[in-house]
Amino acid sequence: LRRVRPTTILNVESSKEGITNEISSEPSSDIPVPVHRAEGLCAVYKPLDWTSNDVVSYIRGMLERDARNRGAKLAKRRSKSKTKKVKVGHGGTLDPLATGVLVLGIGSGTKDLQSYLSGSKKYSAGAQLGFETATLDMEQGKENAVKTAPSDHVTYAMIEGIIQQFTGDIMQKPPIFSAIKKDGKRLYEQARAGKTEEDIEIEARKVTIHNLQYSKEDQNGRGLPCFGIDVECGGGTYIRSLIRDIGYALDSCATMTSLERTQQGQFTLDVAIPREDWSADNIYAAVQRTNSIFNTLDEGNDVED
């Protein structure tokens, strides 16, 4: 992972003053105002019912307003102008019904997001046996289940007995309602057009489950037919599909009822900025903290070398 350095100008007013003192012949109005106060990575807590792109768009708009308020000149978002733009991206999609850690790249930090797409992540999820929806989550509600099966026979001992077969490298078929492309079209687009899994012939892919633990209650404290799982996995893993396959292994079926990403890379829940605290000041402060940590790690590696 490339270490993103803090921008040299983080406080516009103090920077202007310092430059003006050094070069008194140059008026301060000629000093370009930086588009970003800091560049790098941070994490926010994605709220329920927001898409990951909703978050990116909101944060970008907020930072654009901050840049204009500071006097920075910005090009329009889709303009081909060489004038700089506020850059914001995310490091791995969370579905609208999922919550939790969403890593953001600000400015040059967007170049580092690819490693987060493929890197390790941790999740806490709730599941319910006995029914399966088309989306494998509660988006369409239990009343719109496409499959039902008995679950009264399932015991905690049975879950404990099969859970470890889903660790390590496993083959997993992605949900039909996912952004994966097949024949040039995203699966969810084909599903909404009326195609089925059999029509599309979705192929299983190898994914890695580093650690998998189950709990006797879901996030709402409900026991069987509900239960919870904590997962550490590699990129490309669908927790919805994992819960579906656990249901099949128990001679039943299952649907994911909740999902929270608890960690992505070094970013954990305790550093993810909650929705009520989203502001330009807090975003840039978080980026600077991350840069400081990265710089300390780099210095430590230099000493070891």
Side-chain angles (χ1 to χ4, degrees):
L1 177 65
R2 184 176 61 84
R3 305 304 187 192
V4 181
R5 304 296 182 180
T7 51
T8 55
I9 304 176
L10 297 178
N11 184 295
V12 177
E13 295 304 322
S14 62
S15 299
K16 284 183 178 180
E17 182 181 353
I19 294 175
T20 303
N21 289 338
E22 284 186 20
I23 312 175
S24 57
S25 60
E26 293 292 330
S28 61
S29 59
D30 291 339
I31 301 169
V33 178
V35 171
H36 308 96
R37 285 194 257 161
E39 300 183 55
L41 301 173
C42 67
V44 298
Y45 190 92
K46 191 194 84 64
L48 188 67
D49 293 329
W50 287 55
T51 69
S52 298
N53 285 333
D54 286 341
V55 176
V56 167
S57 180
Y58 185 93
I59 298 294
R60 184 191 295 117
M62 186 174 65
L63 299 187
E64 286 175 344
R65 289 190 295 274
D66 172 77
R68 290 192 177 97
N69 288 339
R70 291 184 289 106
K73 295 181 180 180
L74 298 179
K76 293 182 178 180
R77 290 188 183 181
R78 298 183 180 180
S79 169
K80 295 182 179 180
S81 169
K82 293 183 179 181
T83 305
K84 289 188 176 182
K85 305 174 185 178
V86 170
K87 294 182 180 180
V88 182
H90 69 78
T93 300
L94 278 173
D95 292 331
L97 294 186
T99 61
V101 177
L102 184 68
V103 175
L104 298 180
I106 309 298
S108 59
T110 56
K111 298 177 181 179
D112 290 321
L113 292 173
Q114 185 60 40
S115 63
Y116 284 87
L117 291 170
S118 57
S120 177
K121 306 171 183 68
K122 292 183 180 180
Y123 297 91
S124 182
Q128 185 170 347
L129 295 162
F131 70 97
E132 180 182 310
T133 65
T135 56
L136 302 182
D137 60 18
M138 298 300 290
E139 180 179 349
Q140 298 178 341
K142 183 178 179 179
E143 63 276 9
N144 293 312
V146 295
K147 186 181 297 184
T148 59
S151 61
D152 293 343
H153 63 282
V154 177
T155 65
Y156 294 122
M158 289 176 62
I159 299 176
E160 187 171 1
I162 62 94
I163 203 78
Q164 291 308 313
Q165 73 185 55
F166 293 98
T167 58
D169 292 336
I170 64 172
M171 299 302 294
Q172 182 185 84
K173 182 183 290 187
I176 189 171
F177 282 89
S178 64
I180 294 173
K181 286 187 176 182
K182 179 76 182 291
D183 300 327
K185 294 184 178 180
R186 299 194 183 279
L187 293 184
Y188 69 79
E189 294 175 339
Q190 299 184 57
R192 289 171 181 168
K195 290 188 176 182
T196 65
E197 290 186 15
E198 290 72 22
D199 296 331
I200 302 173
E201 297 181 351
I202 302 174
E203 299 175 352
R205 307 182 306 164
K206 185 171 76 171
V207 298
T208 302
I209 308 294
H210 301 295
N211 188 38
L212 176 61
Q213 303 292 328
Y214 91 97
S215 55
K216 294 182 178 181
E217 296 179 346
D218 67 6
Q219 280 66 33
N220 294 316
R222 300 177 299 178
L224 287 174
C226 300
F227 63 95
I229 58 172
D230 292 305
V231 187
E232 181 179 2
C233 58
T237 304
Y238 282 90
I239 308 302
R240 288 178 286 156
S241 294
L242 176 62
I243 288 173
R244 172 201 63 198
D245 295 343
I246 289 173
Y248 292 163
L250 294 168
D251 293 324
S252 184
C253 55
T255 291
M256 186 179 75
T257 56
S258 66
L259 180 67
E260 181 180 52
R261 183 188 283 161
T262 57
Q263 184 171 344
Q264 186 174 10
Q266 79 273 29
F267 295 97
T268 54
L269 285 174
D270 61 325
V271 299
I273 304 171
R275 169 66 185 85
E276 60 269 21
D277 291 334
W278 290 359
S279 68
D281 287 345
N282 287 339
I283 292 294
Y284 283 127
V287 170
Q288 288 176 285
R289 285 193 296 271
T290 302
N291 288 338
S292 178
I293 292 171
F294 282 169
N295 289 338
T296 300
L297 291 174
D298 279 347
E299 291 171 2
N301 290 336
D302 290 341
V303 171
E304 291 178 5
D305 292 342

